[in-house]
């Protein structure tokens, strides 16, 4: 492969012209011929025995060219890209310029990262609120732990009360006709959780185990299934079981079971300290966001649309991964919510644009400050990633290029510079009257 030249196209768009040697291309054509000859019937020859020259004479000289180019292109393009030193942000638009006695000449039109003009980025102002964790917040956190350690008890001598967990069957009808998704057996529901249509759970309160009863509701106007919106429905229900969660007493024995502490006071102090640490980190993140907003606001760059599309694609993939952790796939989620990939991208668009601009700004700051990542820092980052995912560092190195690691490190240094030079003012705590 030989890089011939690089020319400008549109704004932040380049055209790479590169060639593939004739000997290399001919060898690839021969390989494609050998791979496909068994599929080709030529009169007068046994299947798979027709010479390449005969096939080309019958079907044309370029019969194998397309497959050969597809075979050779990825490696040739990658080599040209490495030689060009271009910072490409889009898929290439490939065109075959010529195929002759000198080989193949290919052009690849690509978008590259734009030039960035920064405003002031040192000494930016931000306001930080001093947050104190309340006793109520500590109680709520401890009660959440008690909830996770609650004992489940089945109740048989009373009717359903708000807060009970019930197992029941339901079968829904609109205008006397059953509808998709309106039926389930042995469904578990915490009454009062708001999981069902407004008005549904309230009608379960006071019902007995084994009692058959109807629940009458109206689907909301904004219901995800448009065919059910604003429709009146009847659900035929029967309760099979009522269960309650009994919380453990908050005493020293409970504390010993759920923590490394011996007393309630020690445990409460630790919970408060951890909540305070989280609250402080949250405030630090808000400060970072204020600073980055000002950096992005002053950023000047003609950003290719491809960069936003790349970020949107990444956000959709990330959302799909999180859905799978919850036992859903993206197709099912979109079917039930009425969303499409395009509508999801429209929702993600503002955040995607901000993410792209933030990254460009931080990269520009790192360049302006001549930040670099040394070998020890890169190795430490590999180790950090390996520990986070519970795999060996060598495995991480196989999947993540060191240049990408280095780029993230210098961006991190740029973000730290913004924090270190920022002028942060403490926000006065509001009085009770306020």
């Amino acid at each position: 492969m030989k890089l011939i030249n690089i020319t400008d196209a549109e704004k932040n768009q380049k055209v790479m012209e590169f060639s593939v040697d004739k000997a290399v291309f001919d060898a690839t054509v021969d390989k494609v011929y050998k791979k496909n000859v068994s599929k080709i019937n030529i009169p007068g020859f046994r299947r798979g025995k027709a010479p390449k020259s005969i096939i080309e004479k019958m079907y044309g000289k370029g019969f194998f060219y397309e497959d050969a180019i597809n075979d050779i292109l990825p490696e040739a393009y990658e080599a040209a890209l490495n030689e060009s030193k271009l910072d490409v942000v889009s898929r290439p638009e490939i065109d075959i310029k010529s195929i002759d006695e000198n080989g193949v000449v290919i052009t690849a039109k690509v978008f590259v990262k734009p030039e960035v003009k920064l405003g002031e980025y040192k000494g930016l102002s931000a306001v930080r609120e001093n947050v104190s964790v309340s006793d109520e917040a500590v109680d709520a956190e401890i009660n959440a732990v008690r909830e996770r350690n609650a004992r489940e008890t089945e109740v048989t001598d009373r009717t359903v009360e708000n807060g009970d967990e019930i197992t029941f069957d339901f079968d829904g009808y609109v205008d006397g006709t059953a509808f998709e998704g309106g039926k389930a057996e042995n469904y578990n529901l915490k009454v009062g959780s708001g999981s069902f249509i407004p008005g549904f759970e309230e009608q379960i309160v006071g019902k007995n185990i084994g009692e058959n009863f109807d629940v009458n509701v109206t689907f909301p106007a904004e219901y995800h299934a448009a065919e059910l919106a604003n429709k009146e429905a009847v659900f035929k229900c029967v309760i099979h079981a009522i269960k309650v969660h009994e919380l453990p007493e908050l005493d020293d024995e409970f504390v010993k079971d759920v923590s490394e502490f011996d007393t309630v006071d020690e445990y409460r102090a630790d919970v408060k300290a951890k909540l305070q640490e989280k609250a402080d980190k949250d405030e630090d993140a808000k400060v970072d966001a204020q600073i980055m907003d000002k950096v992005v606001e002053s950023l000047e760059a003609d950003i290719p649309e491809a960069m936003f599309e790349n970020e949107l694609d990444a956000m959709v993939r990330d959302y799909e991964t999180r859905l799978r952790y919850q036992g859903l796939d993206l197709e099912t989620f979109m079917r039930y919510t009425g969303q499409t990939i395009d509508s999801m991208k429209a929702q993600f668009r503002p955040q995607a644009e901000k993410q792209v601009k933030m990254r460009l700004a931080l990269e520009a700051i790192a360049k302006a400050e001549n930040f670099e990542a040394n070998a020890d820092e890169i190795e430490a980052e590999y180790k950090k990633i390996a520990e986070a995912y519970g795999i060996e560092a060598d495995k991480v190195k196989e999947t993540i290029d060191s240049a990408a690691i280095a780029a993230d490190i210098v961006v991190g240094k740029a973000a730290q510079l913004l924090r270190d030079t920022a002028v942060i003012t403490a926000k006065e705590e509001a009085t009770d009257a306020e």
Side-chain angles (χ1 to χ4, degrees), residues 138 178 252 338:
V138 175
D252 292 349

Side-chain angles (χ1 to χ4, degrees), residues 217-272:
V217 293
T218 301
F219 283 100
E222 66 279 6
Y223 195 65
H224 61 77
E227 69 275 11
L228 297 176
N230 284 321
K231 294 283 189 178
E232 293 182 356
V234 177
F235 287 85
K236 297 186 178 300
C237 306
V238 59
I239 297 171
H240 299 302
I242 303 172
K243 297 176 182 178
V244 295
H245 278 72
E246 295 181 357
L247 299 184
E249 289 294 326
L250 178 57
D251 54 24
D252 292 349
E253 290 306 313
F254 169 75
V255 167
K256 291 174 184 177
D257 287 340
V258 300
S259 74
E260 69 271 29
F261 301 101
D262 295 325
T263 68
V264 173
D265 289 342
E266 291 174 328
Y267 180 53
R268 286 185 64 86
D270 180 69
V271 170
K272 186 168 187 175

Side-chain angles (χ1 to χ4, degrees), residues 32 42 126 137 142 198 200 220 233 243 250-251 257 290 341 375 390 426:
V32 170
I42 299 293
I142 292 175
F200 190 107
K243 297 176 182 178
L250 178 57
D251 54 24
D257 287 340
Q290 292 176 54
I341 292 294

Side-chain angles (χ1 to χ4, degrees), residues 33-48:
Y33 156 71
K34 292 174 183 176
K35 180 180 178 181
N36 293 283
V37 66
S38 62
K39 307 171 188 175
I40 301 172
N41 278 324
I42 299 293
F45 293 90
R46 283 187 296 130
R47 190 179 188 88

Side-chain angles (χ1 to χ4, degrees), residues 146-147 149-155 244-249:
R146 293 173 68 199
E147 285 281 358
N149 289 273
R151 185 180 67 179
E152 188 176 79
T153 304
E154 192 162 336
V155 176
V244 295
H245 278 72
E246 295 181 357
L247 299 184
E249 289 294 326

Side-chain angles (χ1 to χ4, degrees), residues 2 5 7 22 53 73 87 92-93 147 189 191 201 229 255 265 295-296 340 347 351 374 377 380 386 390 416 424:
K2 179 183 177 183
N5 61 45
T7 56
K22 187 176 188 305
S53 59
L73 183 59
D87 200 348
E93 185 181 320
E147 285 281 358
L189 169 69
V191 180
E201 295 171 38
V255 167
D265 289 342
V295 173
V296 167
T340 64
Q347 292 177 25
Q351 183 61 25
N374 60 45
E377 290 171 331
Q416 189 60 52
I424 302 172

